[in-house]
Amino acid sequence: LADRAHTGRARNKAARRAILTAAADLLGQCDPAALSVERIAAMAGVGRQTIYRWWPSKGAVLLEAMVERAGSELSPIDSGTLIGDLELFLTATFRAASDAPTARLLRSVMAESLRDLHAGEALREFTARRRDVLREILGRAEERGELARGVDLDLVIDQAFGLLWYRTLLGHEPLSRKSALGLARALVRQVAPGSLARPGRPEPPL
Amino acid sequence: LADRAHTGRARNKAARRAILTAAADLLGQCDPAALSVERIAAMAGVGRQTIYRWWPSKGAVLLEAMVERAGSELSPIDSGTLIGDLELFLTATFRAASDAPTARLLRSVMAESLRDLHAGEALREFTARRRDVLREILGRAEERGELARGVDLDLVIDQAFGLLWYRTLLGHEPLSRKSALGLARALVRQVAPGSLARPGRPEPPL
Amino acid sequence: LADRAHTGRARNKAARRAILTAAADLLGQCDPAALSVERIAAMAGVGRQTIYRWWPSKGAVLLEAMVERAGSELSPIDSGTLIGDLELFLTATFRAASDAPTARLLRSVMAESLRDLHAGEALREFTARRRDVLREILGRAEERGELARGVDLDLVIDQAFGLLWYRTLLGHEPLSRKSALGLARALVRQVAPGSLARPGRPEPPL
Amino acid sequence: LADRAHTGRARNKAARRAILTAAADLLGQCDPAALSVERIAAMAGVGRQTIYRWWPSKGAVLLEAMVERAGSELSPIDSGTLIGDLELFLTATFRAASDAPTARLLRSVMAESLRDLHAGEALREFTARRRDVLREILGRAEERGELARGVDLDLVIDQAFGLLWYRTLLGHEPLSRKSALGLARALVRQVAPGSLARPGRPEPPL
DNA sequence: CCCTAAACGAGACGGTACGTCCGGTCTTAAT
DNA sequence: ATTAAGACCGGACGTACCGTCTCGTTTAGGG
């Protein structure tokens, strides 16, 4: 390839990729205040206007970068039992979020979304999809009859993700594997207390 | 003699008050991006240097303002039962956090603490003290023998505050009274399942 | 290929003009301490950064403004005699410098050039060109054989401009037309004493 | 009224001395922009208010410091001839002004006097006294009958000091001994052309 | 010999301007 | 028509001084 003095029309996709990659890389770096459009553009080898042409604001770029990076880990989970699904999902999610660059990324993204409406909307959308995954897991348990009646599933879901974000944002406590397993069991106690008779294994619904 | 304890003009307490009040007022207003030191100084009728003289960064001012404002609502809770204490604490906390200006304040403070190390430290300190309140409630329940064994109290506590912050930061779901009560019950199910036999009333320990 | 001559938006000439005009206007106003970059930018309707982009310091702007304003009055002088040239040049120069806004401008420019290296260099350059005008006048007299031998022309020139600046900066004495004529005659007495036999008319060299 | 001549602590002469010394030292140092009251006070080991109590502005302090430092060199000159007096006075004056710290001091003082009214007035007063010295020299020559008629002495005096300041402020040419002697002779040519028949020695008035 | 008012070192105060950085928009030449 | 480069306006940043205003201490007279 090589040279390409500097300009040209047909760059579109490469530029888009470069921008998102640069944004994600910078998001994963330490300082959330050093996140300027200029820096992203420079790292991507792109004009600043090219960013503003496609995204409404800085936050929107960052969110899209984050979504792309985090969106890949969506592997369907179905162990056949609620506790199994929860353990799988939560340990995987906690492990991902406790990776240092990813944690920085999450913090930066939240910081951005609190300042920028576009980013806020995008983060809301992103988190909604994550909650859907958990809701589906709980839905399958319900179909199997595992769930007690009258459980507020939204409350359960927000406890899980709330704990994840709370610890990530504040950093007072790590997102350990142990806490993921503990959380899984705690949630089951709330929604399907009977299924924990033999811990780790669901009781047959009988 | 050793030394003069102090020389020079004393710190102006009125200025300090004016700064914190102005900071809290601006925190409660809508736009978290309009939170500039210049604006705080102007609203407080104070030179900008007077702020930088006493606080290491903008975030430190905001956090101190928030702590002052939020710190007053600490009323001791002791209903005699775990579920009662939790219901009291959580409904009060949720109600406070769902007040629109306070919610904006919390979001602004979190945004600031994600960018500024001083603010981060201060928010960590602030939230730690809030967790202590909840931990004390749980501790009293333990002394009464209400708690099941081997419960990870930190996990429980972080579920509660996590949910609070998660909903406040994202705004996808309100912090209703109903959810506070639901959360209280959910937490009790995790730590003291037996005590919910007759809902809202603890069973006699016997 | 070598290189692209230039990329990006071209420099806005209107902004440059507005900045220099604003600077010159402010220079001509009373207070030399009220000369801030902020004020210049505001009066020019320009961002502050646009000034810093093109000039290394405030003084450099002011000097360029002064040079532009003062540079226009360069009309060639050649009356055929030394005394005639000097009278023309000095009366014109003194008259210009005794104009109140111009005098303020000169004082401000000197003040700036004493604080700012860039401005100092520019003022040095500016004054050198003014001295050249006088030197040329004297040079023509020399070609005509009017000058006595062994005269230190630099000394003569600096007496003239020295007097001009000295009175302008201190303001103890006005730059009157009478003093311009007196100075012209005094200088001729130094360098070509014979040519004043009949005042105002050079004697034939013979 | 005249009641109570004075009460309270007397003015500290040591502080006054320290302030003027510090000011003069800083004036003689390179950077004229680094001349802050804070720095003077710190170097003098004095509170800032002690300066403002006794002088109306920074410039007034600097000027007084300069006057004190420069005022000592006033030794009466009387060689008996105009050219002799001028040579003595101008070589001494030029030598003093070409000393690097003194030249910096003069530049700083002029810079200050262009910004500060008090300093301006003080510098005007200072220079007036220096002109008086030269005027006295010329006055004695007049009494001896050396001077031609109709000479504008103010013009002559301002040529001399003008040249001194012009070269000091711009720095394009040094104040050499040679130029002092040349200037002495040039001035004599203006005011007493006959007295230079035998250079360096006045002709007997006959 | 004490009293008292002023001067002192220190330093906080409300301001103003500095020079830098970034956000989001507009313009240019090149392809 | 889109790109990379980059100038543009606006506005906040954190710093440096300005000149004023307390602080608590020190000290030179007058009583």
Side-chain angles (χ1 to χ4, degrees):
Chain A
L1 84 119
D3 38 11
R4 212 112 100 97
H6 84 109
T7 41
R9 177 173 173 179
R11 174 87 183 251
N12 220 316
K13 297 203 170 182
R16 193 186 119 85
R17 282 258 47 82
I19 290 165
L20 291 175
T21 303
D25 286 359
L26 288 170
L27 271 171
Q29 283 179 14
C30 243
D31 194 355
L35 247 162
S36 66
V37 174
E38 265 174 328
R39 209 174 287 261
I40 295 173
M43 175 173 287
V46 143
R48 223 139 24 96
Q49 187 59 37
T50 302
I51 294 180
Y52 286 111
R53 209 186 326 274
W54 293 344
W55 289 275
S57 72
K58 180 173 65 168
V61 190
L62 300 184
L63 258 292
E64 186 164 339
M66 191 268 275
V67 168
E68 285 229 339
R69 172 145 305 189
S72 50
E73 16 165 321
L74 297 163
S75 54
I77 283 172
D78 193 350
S79 69
T81 67
L82 177 58
I83 183 70
D85 283 2
L86 284 178
E87 285 179 346
L88 277 175
F89 178 76
L90 291 176
T91 51
T93 305
F94 276 34
R95 180 157 28 80
S98 62
D99 168 57
T102 302
R104 276 196 290 269
L105 186 147
L106 291 175
R107 280 192 290 267
S108 297
V109 157
M110 178 58 85
E112 206 52 44
S113 88
L114 288 171
R115 304 195 170 248
D116 178 47
L117 290 180
H118 301 108
E121 192 45 54
L123 181 59
R124 217 155 7 252
E125 170 61 29
F126 171 77
T127 52
R129 263 187 287 146
R130 311 295 272 187
R131 287 196 297 277
D132 287 344
V133 176
L134 196 44
R135 187 172 291 113
E136 200 201 311
I137 288 174
L138 291 164
R140 281 204 307 272
E142 189 162 35
E143 289 173 9
R144 288 191 300 260
E146 284 189 81
L147 259 49
R149 293 190 187 180
V151 174
D152 183 345
L153 290 189
D154 289 333
L155 204 66
V156 177
I157 292 167
D158 287 357
Q159 282 174 70
F161 284 111
L163 186 139
L164 173 83
W165 278 98
Y166 186 62
R167 292 195 171 175
T168 300
L169 296 177
L170 287 173
H172 61 290
E173 193 98 0
L175 287 171
S176 63
R177 175 174 167 79
K178 182 163 158 288
S179 58
L181 294 173
L183 181 60
R185 168 173 297 236
L187 297 184
V188 173
R189 273 212 186 97
Q190 284 183 76
V191 302
S195 69
L196 281 175
R198 273 184 287 166
R201 299 277 171 75
E203 285 200 338
L206 176 56
Chain B
L1 85 123
D3 48 350
R4 302 264 307 264
H6 172 72
T7 7
R9 187 176 181 172
R11 178 171 181 181
N12 185 344
K13 298 200 171 184
R16 181 176 176 275
R17 282 257 48 82
I19 290 166
L20 291 176
T21 302
D25 286 358
L26 288 170
L27 271 171
Q29 282 179 15
C30 238
D31 194 356
L35 248 162
S36 66
V37 173
E38 292 199 296
R39 204 176 287 259
I40 295 173
M43 174 173 288
V46 144
R48 215 136 32 92
Q49 188 64 49
T50 300
I51 295 181
Y52 288 113
R53 207 188 327 273
W54 298 111
W55 287 276
S57 70
K58 181 172 61 173
V61 189
L62 301 184
L63 258 292
E64 188 166 335
M66 191 268 276
V67 168
E68 285 228 341
R69 173 146 304 190
S72 51
E73 18 165 318
L74 298 162
S75 55
I77 284 173
D78 193 350
S79 69
T81 68
L82 177 58
I83 183 70
D85 284 2
L86 286 178
E87 285 179 346
L88 277 174
F89 178 77
L90 291 177
T91 51
T93 304
F94 275 36
R95 181 158 25 84
S98 61
D99 167 58
T102 302
R104 276 196 290 269
L105 186 147
L106 291 175
R107 280 192 289 269
S108 297
V109 157
M110 177 59 84
E112 206 52 44
S113 88
L114 289 170
R115 304 197 168 247
D116 176 44
L117 290 179
H118 301 106
E121 191 46 54
L123 182 59
R124 214 150 15 247
E125 170 62 30
F126 172 77
T127 52
R129 264 188 286 146
R130 313 294 273 188
R131 288 196 297 277
D132 287 344
V133 177
L134 196 43
R135 195 182 330 266
E136 201 202 311
I137 288 174
L138 292 166
R140 279 204 309 274
E142 188 161 37
E143 288 173 8
R144 287 192 299 260
E146 286 187 79
L147 259 50
R149 293 190 187 181
V151 174
D152 184 346
L153 290 189
D154 289 333
L155 205 65
V156 176
I157 292 167
D158 286 358
Q159 281 176 68
F161 286 111
L163 186 139
L164 173 82
W165 279 98
Y166 185 62
R167 292 197 172 174
T168 300
L169 296 176
L170 286 173
H172 62 289
E173 193 98 359
L175 287 171
S176 63
R177 175 174 166 79
K178 181 160 158 290
S179 59
L181 294 173
L183 180 59
R185 170 174 295 235
L187 298 184
V188 173
R189 276 213 183 93
Q190 286 183 37
V191 300
S195 70
L196 281 176
R198 272 185 287 167
R201 300 278 170 72
E203 288 199 340
L206 170 58
Chain C
L1 85 122
D3 48 351
R4 298 266 312 266
H6 171 73
T7 359
R9 186 176 182 174
R11 178 171 181 181
N12 184 345
K13 299 201 172 183
R16 181 176 176 276
R17 283 258 47 83
I19 290 166
L20 291 176
T21 302
D25 286 358
L26 289 170
L27 271 171
Q29 285 179 223
C30 240
D31 195 355
L35 249 162
S36 66
V37 174
E38 293 198 297
R39 204 175 287 259
I40 295 173
M43 174 173 287
V46 145
R48 215 135 32 93
Q49 189 65 48
T50 301
I51 295 180
Y52 287 113
R53 205 188 330 272
W54 299 111
W55 287 276
S57 71
K58 180 174 60 173
V61 189
L62 301 184
L63 258 292
E64 188 165 336
M66 190 267 276
V67 168
E68 285 227 340
R69 173 146 304 191
S72 51
E73 18 163 321
L74 299 162
S75 55
I77 282 172
D78 193 349
S79 69
T81 69
L82 177 57
I83 183 70
D85 283 3
L86 286 177
E87 285 179 345
L88 277 174
F89 178 76
L90 291 176
T91 52
T93 304
F94 276 36
R95 180 156 28 80
S98 61
D99 168 57
T102 303
R104 275 196 290 270
L105 185 146
L106 291 175
R107 280 192 290 269
S108 297
V109 157
M110 177 59 84
E112 206 51 45
S113 88
L114 289 171
R115 304 196 170 247
D116 176 43
L117 290 179
H118 301 107
E121 191 47 55
L123 181 59
R124 213 147 20 246
E125 170 60 31
F126 173 76
T127 52
R129 265 188 284 146
R130 313 294 273 187
R131 288 196 298 277
D132 287 344
V133 176
L134 195 43
R135 188 173 292 112
E136 200 202 311
I137 289 175
L138 292 166
R140 280 205 308 274
E142 189 161 36
E143 289 172 9
R144 288 191 299 260
E146 287 188 80
L147 259 51
R149 293 190 186 179
V151 174
D152 183 345
L153 290 189
D154 288 334
L155 204 66
V156 176
I157 291 167
D158 286 358
Q159 281 175 67
F161 284 111
L163 186 138
L164 174 82
W165 278 98
Y166 185 61
R167 292 196 172 174
T168 299
L169 296 177
L170 286 173
H172 61 290
E173 193 98 359
L175 287 172
S176 63
R177 174 173 167 79
K178 182 161 158 291
S179 59
L181 295 173
L183 179 59
R185 171 173 294 236
L187 298 184
V188 173
R189 273 211 184 96
Q190 284 182 46
V191 302
S195 70
L196 280 177
R198 273 184 287 167
R201 300 278 171 73
E203 288 200 338
L206 172 57
Chain D
L1 76 127
D3 40 10
R4 257 271 267 151
H6 171 73
T7 343
R9 186 176 179 174
R11 176 170 182 183
N12 185 344
K13 298 202 172 182
R16 180 174 177 277
R17 283 258 47 81
I19 290 166
L20 290 176
T21 303
D25 286 359
L26 288 170
L27 271 171
Q29 283 179 15
C30 243
D31 193 355
L35 249 162
S36 67
V37 173
E38 265 174 330
R39 207 175 288 260
I40 294 172
M43 175 173 287
V46 143
R48 219 139 26 95
Q49 186 61 38
T50 301
I51 294 180
Y52 286 112
R53 204 187 330 271
W54 301 110
W55 288 274
S57 72
K58 180 173 65 169
V61 189
L62 301 184
L63 258 292
E64 186 165 336
M66 192 267 276
V67 169
E68 285 227 341
R69 172 146 305 190
S72 52
E73 16 165 322
L74 297 162
S75 54
I77 283 172
D78 194 348
S79 69
T81 68
L82 178 58
I83 184 70
D85 282 4
L86 285 178
E87 284 179 345
L88 278 174
F89 178 78
L90 291 176
T91 51
T93 304
F94 275 36
R95 181 157 28 80
S98 62
D99 168 58
T102 302
R104 275 196 291 269
L105 185 147
L106 292 175
R107 280 193 289 268
S108 297
V109 158
M110 177 60 84
E112 206 51 44
S113 88
L114 289 170
R115 305 196 168 245
D116 177 47
L117 289 179
H118 301 107
E121 192 46 55
L123 181 59
R124 216 150 13 249
E125 170 61 29
F126 173 77
T127 53
R129 265 188 285 147
R130 311 295 272 186
R131 288 197 297 278
D132 287 343
V133 176
L134 195 43
R135 187 171 295 115
E136 199 201 312
I137 288 175
L138 291 165
R140 280 204 308 273
E142 189 161 36
E143 289 172 8
R144 286 191 302 261
E146 286 188 78
L147 258 50
R149 293 189 187 180
V151 174
D152 184 345
L153 290 188
D154 289 334
L155 203 65
V156 177
I157 292 167
D158 286 358
Q159 281 176 68
F161 284 111
L163 186 139
L164 174 83
W165 279 97
Y166 185 62
R167 292 196 172 175
T168 299
L169 296 177
L170 286 173
H172 62 290
E173 193 99 358
L175 287 172
S176 63
R177 174 173 167 79
K178 181 161 158 292
S179 59
L181 295 173
L183 180 58
R185 171 173 292 236
L187 298 184
V188 173
R189 274 212 183 96
Q190 285 182 41
V191 300
S195 71
L196 281 175
R198 274 184 286 167
R201 298 279 170 72
E203 288 200 336
L206 175 59

